[in-house]
Amino acid sequence: MNICHLCRIPKTIGVSIPMKATFFITYIMVDGWAGCAAEILMLKPLIFYHLKNFFLVKTEKDREEAMDPGTFGFNTGEPQIQLYFLLGLVYAVVTPFLLPYIIVFFGLAYVVYRHQIINVYNQEYESAAAFWPDVHGRIIFALVISQLLLMGLLSTKEAANSTPLLITLPVLTIWFHLYCKGRYEPAFVKHPLQEAMMKDTLERTREPNFNLKEFLQNGYIHPVFKGDEDSESEVLSEKWEEQEPVLVQTKRQSRKNTPLPSKHSGSLSP
């Protein structure tokens, strides 16, 4: 009995997906298009600001805190965009009539969120695109889901004989993901040589007589097992770390950033 239910899954998917296209069109218009308009208006922060300004604001510092827009919610905005991307991949072949609504949403989202991130929200941290491998993996996962649903749809149509040929699509997609993961992921995990050279230049400028090999020989030893000379070198290293940063000219290309500095890495931001 369970095997019969499993065999009906492709047929159920192939019949139900086209029927839900109208629902998803309405969902994109209500949640996507109206969400972009609400993001520009920012009614919720505006109401909170007037309430705080009327009841809590006493000084200029309180007023600045009340006007603080906060940071962009990547935990809610980024999954929403990936959901619309998944819908576009699934219905690109099944119901292409849905694609213009997706394209309009992505056009509005690009203009709106680009303006909000650059001119409105504060930059809480700078990850240097370290989150991109996760985004790439989710896009590949959405592509595999769309291919499997396409196989289920064609299995219920007259093109059922061509369905086994589509098995190569998920295999090639997963292989491409593994290739990108092995080829490009180290660039997001390991520090580039340019930053390593900059740090070496700063260290040589601050402490010209610093012996790095001797420091590394005892750098990972517990303080209990260190001698007097090691403790003195540790005190010197602590004093060296407490010194004010020295401006050193390095060959570094300029990069664009948001107007506000990062809260956690404000001293490193240009």
Side-chain angles (χ1 to χ4, degrees):
M1 190 66 179
N2 293 330
I3 298 177
C4 294
H5 287 294
L6 292 176
C7 295
R8 294 176 183 174
I9 291 178
K11 184 177 181 180
T12 303
I13 293 176
V15 173
S16 61
I17 286 180
M19 295 174 59
K20 301 297 182 181
T22 306
F23 166 77
F24 284 114
I25 291 175
T26 308
Y27 177 78
I28 293 170
M29 295 177 63
V30 174
D31 183 71
W33 295 7
C36 293
E39 181 66 30
I40 281 290
L41 295 176
M42 297 187 70
L43 293 177
K44 182 178 177 181
L46 181 63
I47 294 173
F48 283 172
Y49 164 71
H50 285 291
L51 292 176
K52 292 179 180 179
N53 189 28
F54 186 78
F55 293 104
L56 302 177
V57 171
K58 303 296 182 182
T59 61
E60 290 296 330
K61 184 178 180 180
D62 295 338
R63 188 180 302 278
E64 291 179 359
E65 293 179 355
M67 294 177 62
D68 186 13
T71 59
F72 177 73
F74 286 98
N75 57 338
T76 57
E78 192 264 341
Q80 181 188 23
I81 294 175
Q82 289 186 353
L83 173 62
Y84 293 133
F85 191 82
L86 174 61
L87 293 177
L89 290 176
V90 171
Y91 284 95
V93 180
V94 179
T95 310
F97 183 72
L98 187 137
L99 291 181
Y101 298 91
I102 296 286
I103 294 174
V104 171
F105 166 75
F106 278 112
L108 293 175
Y110 173 77
V111 175
V112 170
Y113 288 114
R114 185 176 184 272
H115 172 270
Q116 297 295 95
I117 292 175
I118 294 177
N119 300 320
V120 178
Y121 290 114
N122 296 328
Q123 182 182 358
E124 185 177 2
Y125 53 85
E126 174 58 46
S127 62
F131 192 63
W132 170 247
D134 296 333
V135 176
H136 181 265
R138 294 172 185 177
I139 291 176
I140 294 296
F141 182 71
L143 186 59
V144 172
I145 289 178
S146 66
Q147 293 169 354
L148 294 177
L149 294 180
L150 177 62
M151 293 170 57
L153 175 63
L154 294 180
S155 64
T156 61
K157 306 297 181 181
E158 296 180 357
N161 296 328
S162 63
T163 302
L165 299 177
L166 297 177
I167 298 177
T168 57
L169 290 178
V171 175
L172 292 177
T173 304
I174 295 174
W175 173 82
F176 175 75
H177 172 62
L178 296 177
Y179 171 78
C180 293
K181 186 178 180 64
R183 177 67 176 83
Y184 300 107
E185 189 176 13
F188 296 91
V189 178
K190 301 177 182 178
H191 292 286
L193 293 178
Q194 183 180 5
E195 294 185 2
M197 292 175 62
M198 289 175 55
K199 292 182 179 181
D200 292 339
T201 305
L202 292 174
E203 289 179 357
R204 285 194 295 266
T205 304
R206 291 173 177 174
E207 191 69 22
N209 299 324
F210 181 71
N211 191 352
L212 182 61
K213 293 182 179 180
E214 183 180 356
F215 175 76
L216 292 177
Q217 287 178 357
N218 301 325
Y220 297 95
I221 300 178
H222 195 275
V224 177
F225 301 102
K226 291 183 179 180
D228 296 335
E229 297 179 356
D230 297 334
S231 61
E232 292 178 359
S233 62
E234 184 178 358
V235 172
L236 292 176
S237 63
E238 291 178 355
K239 291 182 179 179
W240 172 67
E241 291 177 356
E242 293 175 357
Q243 292 179 357
E244 295 183 358
V246 182
L247 295 179
V248 180
Q249 294 183 357
T250 56
K251 296 181 181 180
R252 183 180 182 184
Q253 298 177 353
S254 61
R255 58 195 178 103
K256 296 181 180 180
N257 203 346
T258 53
L260 293 178
S262 174
K263 294 182 179 179
H264 299 285
S265 59
S267 59
L268 299 177
S269 60

